[in-house]
Amino acid sequence: MRSRYCRQLQRALGFRFPLPTRRPLLFGPHRLMKPLVVFVLGGPGAGKGTQCTRIVEKYGYTHLSAGELLRDERRNPDSQYGELIEKCIREGKIVPVEITISLLKREMDQAMTANVQKNKFLIDGFPRNQDNLQGWNKTMDGKADVSFVLFFDCNNEICTERCLERGKSSGRTDDNRESLEKRIQTYLESTKPIIDLYEEMGKVRKIDASKSVDEVFDAVVKIFDKEG
Ligand code: UDP
Ligand code: MG
């Protein structure tokens, strides 16, 4: 039917043009441009957020902080997950992946719908445990590619000091000594093994994050200049 109409049109116009096919559009959102993801991991206070802001300025990534998205969701009075999220955050525990993934996915979809070219994402503070990783693999399999894991390596003492300093003004309910101990424990028990898994796949780019912001960023630049 469609091709008969096209042929009539070709005759009327007096020249031939390629007939449309029923193949899916190659240029629709999410079809050609798959999201390219860099996971940004490291202990609490390792400097993930600070460095991500700089990476966004220099390399045009979209920064998605899983922790920030959860804090926003907690503030949303219509959310049914507010209390659960608050409890997890305060206890340094990890929120069930369904919640985190749905927030991340919504942001990625929105960014790419607004501009298909903007397909490079920094996902900061995720995946933090096996549940997160499995949820990601299940939901995002074939839908996004993980380029590499940027690992900000910093010892616990420095991390704790930085978070306590930040706690003076951050207003975060988890930047206190009690929550921090739990967060560090969760990091060592649950997140570090995920980094190790990616390391085995040759996907980790490790940075000494105990130095100054500028020095750490110099190391970050070396990696992004090479990797894109
Ligand atoms: N969180 C979570 N899942 C995530 C990311 C964060 O459950 O994927 C929770 C967790 O309780 C964590 C808190 O949010 O301790 C704060 O995370 P954020 O990444 O903001 O902390 P940071 O490591 O940057 O200090
Ligand atoms: Mg952060």
Side-chain angles (χ1 to χ4, degrees):
M1 185 62 205
R2 258 165 17 121
S3 60
R4 196 190 321 146
Y5 171 74
C6 283
R7 270 190 284 276
Q8 280 170 0
L9 197 63
Q10 283 178 339
R11 270 197 295 278
L13 292 171
F15 68 94
R16 295 178 71 80
F17 52 83
L19 294 177
T21 65
R22 284 189 184 277
R23 266 181 298 141
L25 275 178
L26 273 179
F27 296 99
H30 315 302
R31 292 226 162 82
L32 191 65
M33 308 286 278
K34 238 198 231 178
L36 285 179
V37 171
V38 173
F39 286 141
V40 182
L41 292 174
K48 303 182 291 285
T50 308
Q51 296 293 331
C52 281
T53 307
R54 294 228 180 162
I55 298 168
V56 168
E57 283 165 11
K58 193 167 164 73
Y59 298 97
Y61 276 72
T62 301
H63 175 209
L64 302 179
S65 159
E68 290 295 338
L69 292 173
L70 289 166
R71 284 189 282 276
D72 287 348
E73 181 67 12
R74 176 189 60 184
R75 275 192 290 270
N76 172 5
D78 297 330
S79 170
Q80 49 177 319
Y81 302 120
E83 266 177 48
L84 171 69
I85 293 173
E86 171 55 19
K87 204 168 165 333
C88 286
I89 288 181
R90 206 186 281 268
E91 293 290 313
K93 296 216 174 92
I94 293 162
V95 173
V97 68
E98 291 74 17
I99 300 174
T100 318
I101 278 267
S102 73
L103 300 173
L104 286 170
K105 204 163 171 301
R106 184 188 69 195
E107 294 296 310
M108 285 167 69
D109 285 343
Q110 264 173 17
M112 287 193 62
T113 305
N115 181 355
V116 210
Q117 311 280 333
K118 276 202 77 91
N119 68 327
K120 296 199 293 185
F121 295 91
L122 293 171
I123 299 192
D124 155 11
F126 180 94
R128 271 178 139 88
N129 64 0
Q130 270 298 339
D131 176 57
N132 278 185
L133 183 61
Q134 276 165 7
W136 173 270
N137 289 337
K138 199 170 112 200
T139 315
M140 301 307 286
D141 183 40
K143 297 201 183 96
D145 290 328
V146 178
S147 317
F148 58 94
V149 174
L150 190 62
F151 169 32
F152 289 110
D153 188 24
C154 189
N155 68 52
N156 298 340
E157 289 73 33
I158 294 183
C159 281
T160 306
E161 282 315 310
R162 286 180 183 171
C163 288
L164 289 176
E165 193 52 38
R166 177 173 74 184
K168 292 177 188 166
S169 58
S170 68
R172 280 178 53 162
T173 55
D174 60 348
D175 280 343
N176 56 73
R177 217 172 261 286
E178 208 188 326
S179 293
L180 270 163
E181 274 170 22
K182 294 174 183 160
R183 288 163 68 193
I184 288 175
Q185 195 184 343
T186 302
Y187 167 70
L188 294 173
E189 274 173 11
S190 308
T191 313
K192 192 61 183 37
I194 303 300
I195 300 172
D196 295 342
L197 268 178
Y198 277 109
E199 177 73 63
E200 281 167 28
M201 295 188 263
K203 287 224 167 198
V204 173
R205 308 291 176 268
K206 178 164 132 176
I207 286 178
D208 176 0
S210 61
K211 300 196 181 136
S212 72
V213 173
D214 285 340
E215 282 171 307
V216 174
F217 191 61
D218 285 344
V220 168
V221 165
K222 288 208 181 86
I223 290 169
F224 278 83
D225 279 349
K226 207 162 121 197
E227 310 264 357

